[in-house]
Amino acid sequence: MKVNKKDYSTIWFENNKIKIIDQTKLPFKFEIKELKSLQSFVSAIKKMEVRGAPLIGVTAAYGLAFEILREPSRSNIFKTYKKLFNCRPTAINLRWALDEVINTVLKIPPKKRGKESLKIANKIRNDDIKSCKQIGKNGLEIIQNIYKKKKRCINILTHCNAGWLATVDWGTALAPIFFAKRKKIPIHIWVDETRPRNQGALLTSWELKNENIPHTVIVDNAGGHLMQNKEVDMCLVGSDRTTISGNVCNKIGTYLKAVVAYENKIPFFVALPTSTIDKKIKKISDIPIEIRDGSELSKVNLKIKNKLLSANIFEKETPTLNPAFDVTPKKFITKLITEKGICDPKEEKIKRLLRNR
Ligand code: MRU
């Protein structure tokens, strides 16, 4: 997508260097950073310089490839896999991408492993762009249908950031929105601020501003009121892990929105690449929920004049709990939008979809 009229993606390989956009600085500063060591990959994922399930997966694949190029032994591959795997536990794309790399490279001689792993990481990256673009086209149909019925501006509520910054390009939940804009469908986006990291207020609003898409940031608690007052036509969010039976784990607060949407008969859509589907986990309670540091609740970043500062909004010794994700049971979900098509959140439907080429 464009930033200051120039095309960017969130991660790329150029002149033997892996570069990312440092998302912890956005929207105040647009900074490109090179990842130069395994530690820099680990810390970029942990500190959320890169974030969003698909992008976490791509970054981990590059991190593993980077390390295999340096030292292709089996023991180093396993050690690195473990280090990267433990960075963020909920986003299934992390495991999926690491498995894609090791399942191939462990079968070939050490000398060939470096080049091959980089080839796989590049493919994961490029496939993610294709998938997200297709999710955009598939999701556009849904927005178009709602527009045909309502014949007025469509109000879409989204949570967190599932835009291009959460993937390599295009995004998942925001991809249909970008396509709708290109098709001149009148849309307006309610952007949940998404405490505590504020991905909505900081990142989603920045993406929408860059694309000239009308939007309004709201506090996380406002969605229920808006839905009750018919100010929302549809909800559209991303997913960090979707069980094969159709339950969706996404940014904390997604569940609350889905329940209120259901209560108010507002369709609730989840956009995801099929790499986000966990074929093993069946029980919701088996999904690992990342618990992040409580300082994310008490500490806020501030822009004062042109300086970026941080401050505490309550005493940092106050006990806190900071679960980063929650699970929305399938009964609250209208449809899943994937690159392979749109389907009901039901096991047999998802399995059939996965068989599509
Ligand atoms: O903690 P984050 O910012 O990595 O969480 C991101 C989300 O919850 C997204 O909705 C999800 O990863 C889908 S991204 C296409």
Side-chain angles (χ1 to χ4, degrees), residues 56-186:
I56 291 171
V58 175
T59 310
Y62 275 123
L64 184 54
F66 180 91
E67 191 55 21
I68 297 174
L69 278 160
R70 194 188 65 76
E71 159 59 64
S73 69
R74 241 183 130 77
S75 64
N76 191 41
I77 293 177
F78 284 124
K79 204 171 82 193
T80 310
Y81 181 105
K82 209 167 151 202
K83 244 189 191 160
L84 289 161
F85 181 82
N86 287 329
C87 285
R88 293 197 71 188
T90 303
I92 183 79
N93 304 59
L94 176 61
R95 183 182 83 198
W96 172 82
L98 291 171
D99 286 346
E100 288 283 297
V101 177
I102 65 161
N103 288 340
T104 303
V105 297
L106 287 177
K107 291 184 199 136
I108 58 176
K111 264 209 288 197
K112 293 189 175 166
R113 286 178 185 159
K115 222 169 149 193
E116 187 60 25
S117 55
L118 188 59
K119 207 165 109 192
I120 300 167
N122 279 329
K123 180 167 167 14
I124 294 173
R125 174 190 181 275
N126 298 338
D127 285 352
D128 186 67
I129 301 176
K130 283 186 214 151
S131 291
C132 288
K133 202 166 176 188
Q134 195 54 46
I135 289 171
K137 288 180 188 167
N138 295 345
L140 169 66
E141 273 176 41
I142 290 173
I143 301 178
Q144 265 168 336
N145 288 339
I146 296 179
Y147 177 58
K148 267 185 213 151
K149 274 193 211 139
K150 306 233 169 179
K151 296 189 178 61
R152 56 154 174 80
C153 176
I154 304 302
N155 289 299
I156 304 172
L157 184 139
T158 192
H159 191 67
C160 194
N161 172 265
W164 69 274
L165 291 169
T167 62
V168 178
D169 206 354
W170 289 102
T172 58
L174 291 197
I177 290 170
F178 295 140
F179 274 93
K181 168 74 182 175
R182 282 159 177 69
K183 289 278 175 199
K184 301 200 167 26
I185 298 174

Side-chain angles (χ1 to χ4, degrees), residues 48 51-54 56 88 159-163 166-167 171-173 199 237-240 250-251 271 273 290 292 324-325:
M48 296 171 64
R51 37 143 308 277
I56 291 171
R88 293 197 71 188
H159 191 67
C160 194
N161 172 265
T167 62
T172 58
Q199 291 95 326
V237 301
S239 168
D240 273 75
N250 190 48
K251 180 53 57 196
E290 177 180 7
R292 292 187 63 87
F325 299 95

Side-chain angles (χ1 to χ4, degrees), residues 245-248 255 258-259 261-263 268 284 328-335 345-346:
S245 47
N247 306 299
V248 168
Y255 172 42
V259 173
Y262 187 79
E263 158 77 8
F268 192 93
I284 287 179
T328 301
K330 60 181 161 191
K331 96 175 217 208
F332 299 112
I333 298 166
T334 311
K335 295 273 180 197
K346 290 189 182 141

Side-chain angles (χ1 to χ4, degrees), residues 26-42:
L26 287 172
F28 304 118
K29 264 191 194 163
F30 182 75
E31 233 173 69
I32 290 166
K33 188 171 175 177
E34 186 190 337
L35 300 182
K36 290 183 185 165
S37 62
L38 176 61
Q39 194 41 45
S40 67
F41 282 91
V42 167

